[in-house]
Amino acid sequence: MQLALAMEIITGAKIRLRTRKNKYLTAGSDKESVRLERDGSAKQAVWTVEFVDGKSSIRIKSIYGKYLTATNEPLIPKAKGHKVLQTLPERLNSSTEWEMESDDTFGKDKLLRFKTHYGQYLRPYGGLPPFRNKVGHDVPCRTQTEDKIQWELEILETGDR
């Protein structure tokens, strides 16, 4: 299936994004933060997809009506990655746009990568604090970490088309 067709299918859809370690991308109840949680049944784990007119990008909207946004803010001081937040900018811009990439678009695994306008990828972080359950964006530095930027797409409800 072509990526453009896949984008058409998920436009307006309610989705969940799951990491390879079975954690879900969730909107923080503070209506700003984004984190990873094991409970995918929580309403904060449900996102809506919007197609960006005239581009091959999407916007991902939280249950709070805010967009998944790549920021320039460091994830933690002196770290390579940058924060991803929920925001509602006055004007929607490229920081709220994500390009979907896949080696086998919506094949059996539905594994996707989400790339910012600047070539960085939505990435889950794990391990010990302060990285535990954080979500950011950066470029993987080794081929061993490339699978960490893959997300499994779960379509809960298709869009109104």
Side-chain angles (χ1 to χ4, degrees), residues 16 22 24 26 37-43 45-46 154 156:
R16 284 191 298 226
N22 292 319
Y24 291 87
T26 60
E37 297 285 345
R38 289 242 181 248
D39 184 11
S41 66
K43 64 182 180 180
V46 178
E154 296 179 4
L156 305 173

Side-chain angles (χ1 to χ4, degrees), residues 21-34:
K21 297 212 175 198
N22 292 319
K23 289 189 176 183
Y24 291 87
L25 180 70
T26 60
S29 57
D30 62 1
K31 299 179 183 173
E32 183 178 287
S33 64
V34 177

Side-chain angles (χ1 to χ4, degrees), residues 22-151:
N22 292 319
K23 289 189 176 183
Y24 291 87
L25 180 70
T26 60
S29 57
D30 62 1
K31 299 179 183 173
E32 183 178 287
S33 64
V34 177
R35 55 182 290 112
L36 299 172
E37 297 285 345
R38 289 242 181 248
D39 184 11
S41 66
K43 64 182 180 180
Q44 288 90 348
V46 178
W47 300 81
T48 304
V49 177
E50 295 179 357
F51 183 73
V52 179
D53 288 333
K55 295 186 178 182
S56 60
S57 305
I58 61 169
R59 288 193 180 96
I60 304 171
K61 195 179 215 180
S62 74
I63 62 155
Y64 302 113
K66 295 186 172 185
Y67 294 95
L68 190 66
T69 306
T71 72
N72 289 329
E73 221 177 303
L75 188 63
I76 61 169
K78 299 182 182 180
K80 178 182 165 198
H82 294 87
K83 283 185 182 179
V84 172
L85 299 172
Q86 303 174 67
T87 67
L88 189 56
E90 286 184 27
R91 278 186 56 196
L92 295 175
N93 58 37
S94 61
S95 67
T96 61
E97 296 175 9
W98 300 89
E99 287 183 38
M100 291 191 316
E101 291 184 352
S102 175
D103 297 328
D104 179 25
T105 305
F106 286 16
K108 65 177 186 181
D109 291 333
K110 296 182 186 175
L111 294 177
L112 298 169
R113 294 178 298 272
F114 295 89
K115 185 167 76 170
T116 68
H117 179 69
Y118 300 103
Q120 296 184 329
Y121 292 89
L122 182 64
R123 179 179 174 187
Y125 287 87
L128 298 173
F131 287 104
R132 182 175 289 150
N133 297 325
K134 299 269 189 196
V135 180
H137 65 97
D138 71 13
V139 177
C141 56
R142 298 185 313 239
T143 52
Q144 298 99 310
T145 58
E146 279 194 26
D147 69 331
K148 292 183 180 179
I149 61 171
Q150 292 180 326
W151 297 81

